[in-house]
Amino acid sequence: MRFASPQRIFVSVFIGLMATAVLPVTAATSSVEPLNAEQSDPRTLGWMQGFPPPVEKRITQPDSNFFSFPKLRWSVCHMRELLPTAAIPRAIDHYAPLPEALIASIDQLQFTPTGASTPISWHDSLAANYTDGLLVLHLGKVVYESYRGCLGPQQHHAAMSMTKSITGLLAEMLIAQGLLDESALVGQLIPALQDSAFANATVRQVMDMTTALQYSEDYADPTADIWQYSAAANPLPKPAGYQGPVGYFEYLMTVRAAGEHGKVFGYKTVNSDVLGWVLATVTGKPYHQLVSELLWQPLGMQQDAYVTVDGLGTPFAGGGISATLRDLGRLGQALLDATLGKPGVITPELARSIQAGGDQAAFADGFSSLTGGSYRSMWWVFHNPHQAFAARGVHGQTIYIDPTADMVIVRFASHPVASNSANDATSLPAYQALAEFLMQQNSD
């Protein structure tokens, strides 16, 4: 290990956890039953309540364990208080309203989770998956909205690896504008990466994560590369004797190749940060400014977002954004509208390119809960009858877009298990059941 203190280790654990949307289903899990959603609610536990909070109820930085369960149920709504960030400004003169047509009966909707024999209600599934907030848009209107745990309508929540999908979307927009060539070699765009594994990878291979890298994100392995990556990115001062890379960019220069690019999908967060570096290089603008100028301002977001940064101020393009539930709903709705052929900030051609998905053969050994799926431009494509696709992040984050049902679901959560395999068995059938319910409502 390269760390001198527990504080550094746990901060790195946090950064690593933010980095990945789905961990392998074989990842080790605790045999101890975690607190349920009600028991672990940060209001119930009293985290950070009082003036000042009692010592035993404080969650601070660098006290090492702010992202351990159940503290993470408070931390996901308070990233700006724990780590340095850069702002993603909205437009100051307007925002896009979201019309409402709430459907109270959604809470009573019944569905059967994958592998189960007993139905569960939509309402009960929210607690089962430690949901902090959930928004449903149907036909462009809010039909369901719920806030729990640490979250309120004006509160930001960590998007985790849904950040990757925003990064991929930005790349697609720059390609459409002719500012980025998806066939260009990364080493030609960023000379500093000429000696790395990314030198002869194309931008498209980075976007679809079909790069062949000597890099492990096995969180159960204390010698895995993710820990060195996290140590480099750690915004706190490095411990005495540290000799590793400093910052995301410096670490990316050290990644070596392991095979031929373009053959097999491999979910590795370093791809997203390389892509963020590419976007900044070809535009001459930092990542957070691009998110603001290309998405947050033109889409009429209601509140600023923010993104965590490393010790050099480099934004974490692989998992650092925090935003509000409704603003991610606006993003999802813009993509849905484009998929349905409606012109706007996101073009129909761009949205359909993402929706079409990536190489399913390359994805074949991917994730058991996403069998038959693919990955394109850092979006997860299900290839199901409804042609759904999604942004996903650890602990249950999602923007789920169902073009057939004209539906967008945005969920923030703080599930005790990072891997989405822990909640997909409930979540994915719930989304499909709601899509069918809403389609029936529309036809009546």
Side-chain angles (χ1 to χ4, degrees):
M1 295 291 288
R2 298 173 171 85
F3 310 108
S5 69
Q7 286 84 356
R8 272 52 174 189
I9 294 174
F10 277 102
V11 169
S12 294
V13 169
F14 157 70
I15 295 173
L17 283 172
M18 287 186 69
T20 180
V22 190
L23 299 179
V25 295
T26 55
T29 58
S30 172
S31 60
V32 178
E33 190 70 22
L35 299 176
N36 64 28
E38 181 179 358
Q39 295 165 338
S40 63
D41 189 307
R43 298 167 298 182
T44 301
L45 294 177
W47 298 125
M48 296 299 287
Q49 294 179 19
F51 309 98
V55 172
E56 69 275 10
K57 297 297 183 181
R58 294 178 186 175
I59 301 176
T60 59
Q61 167 72 311
D63 285 349
S64 81
N65 62 353
F66 66 89
F67 215 67
S68 62
F69 185 85
K71 289 184 178 180
L72 75 88
R73 301 212 66 205
W74 180 89
S75 299
V76 288
C77 292
H78 297 272
M79 298 316 305
R80 177 161 270 176
E81 297 157 53
L82 297 166
L83 291 168
T85 61
I88 299 173
R90 69 199 185 283
I92 62 173
D93 56 348
H94 75 281
Y95 71 90
L98 291 178
E100 296 183 6
L102 299 176
I103 303 175
S105 58
I106 288 176
D107 270 330
Q108 284 71 54
L109 177 65
Q110 297 278 317
F111 66 93
T112 302
T114 302
S117 57
T118 304
I120 185 174
S121 71
W122 176 272
H123 176 271
D124 289 347
S125 74
L126 301 187
N129 286 329
Y130 296 79
T131 299
D132 297 324
L134 196 141
L135 179 77
V136 181
L137 294 161
H138 177 56
L139 301 176
K141 297 179 180 179
V142 175
V143 296
Y144 187 89
E145 190 170 16
S146 173
Y147 295 93
R148 297 162 172 245
C150 66
L151 198 65
Q154 296 180 321
Q155 181 68 54
H156 292 71
H157 193 288
M160 310 295 187
S161 284
M162 294 197 295
T163 303
K164 290 180 174 66
S165 299
I166 292 174
T167 304
L169 177 58
L170 292 177
E172 285 282 8
M173 295 176 80
L174 294 182
I175 291 169
Q177 294 172 17
L179 298 177
L180 179 62
D181 179 0
E182 67 176 23
S183 65
L185 296 180
V186 171
Q188 294 176 345
L189 298 175
I190 305 176
L193 290 175
Q194 274 292 356
D195 294 330
S196 76
F198 300 102
N200 63 343
T202 66
V203 171
R204 170 53 63 189
Q205 288 164 346
V206 170
M207 291 170 67
D208 295 352
M209 293 207 190
T210 57
T211 50
L213 309 177
Q214 188 177 322
Y215 173 87
S216 169
E217 284 194 21
D218 181 358
Y219 292 85
D221 178 4
T223 66
D225 300 282
I226 181 61
W227 303 122
Q228 185 181 3
Y229 182 47
S230 299
N234 188 343
L236 297 180
K238 299 292 184 279
Y242 178 82
Q243 296 181 343
V246 176
Y248 293 114
F249 291 170
E250 193 168 303
Y251 177 84
L252 296 173
M253 300 178 201
T254 72
V255 179
R256 297 294 173 252
E260 184 181 353
H261 297 313
K263 300 299 183 181
V264 179
F265 169 76
Y267 189 84
K268 294 177 171 62
T269 295
V270 287
N271 285 296
S272 301
D273 288 307
V274 164
L275 187 58
W277 194 354
V278 167
L279 301 181
T281 299
V282 299
T283 62
K285 298 177 180 180
Y287 174 81
H288 52 287
Q289 184 176 343
L290 289 173
V291 178
S292 174
E293 291 182 358
L294 296 183
L295 294 173
W296 244 246
Q297 294 186 52
L299 289 178
M301 300 306 194
Q302 192 168 3
Q303 297 189 55
D304 295 349
Y306 58 86
V307 60
T308 58
V309 298
D310 67 14
L312 301 178
T314 304
F316 183 20
I321 288 179
S322 287
T324 62
L325 190 66
R326 282 197 166 214
D327 280 343
L328 289 190
R330 289 177 172 90
L331 176 63
Q333 186 65 47
L335 261 170
L336 173 62
D337 287 345
T339 303
L340 298 177
K342 302 174 184 177
V345 174
I346 301 170
T347 67
E349 294 77 17
L350 188 159
R352 288 168 181 163
S353 171
I354 294 174
Q355 182 194 18
D359 187 341
Q360 287 178 270
F363 191 84
D365 294 327
F367 303 92
S368 62
S369 60
L370 302 180
T371 301
S374 70
Y375 193 79
R376 181 171 175 83
S377 302
M378 302 194 176
W379 288 79
W380 303 86
V381 182
F382 297 96
H383 298 284
N384 62 16
H386 280 211
Q387 299 178 301
F389 58 105
R392 289 160 62 91
V394 284
H395 299 286
Q397 324 315 316
T398 196
I399 303 172
Y400 184 90
I401 300 171
D402 183 328
T404 301
D406 204 338
M407 177 189 77
V408 174
I409 298 172
V410 182
R411 183 182 68 188
F412 285 139
S414 46
H415 197 286
V417 179
S419 170
N420 278 317
S421 63
N423 64 70
D424 276 343
T426 302
S427 302
L428 297 181
Y431 301 161
Q432 183 63 30
L434 180 58
E436 294 169 1
F437 171 81
L438 293 174
M439 291 171 68
Q440 181 61 43
Q441 290 279 111
N442 190 47
S443 66
D444 289 344

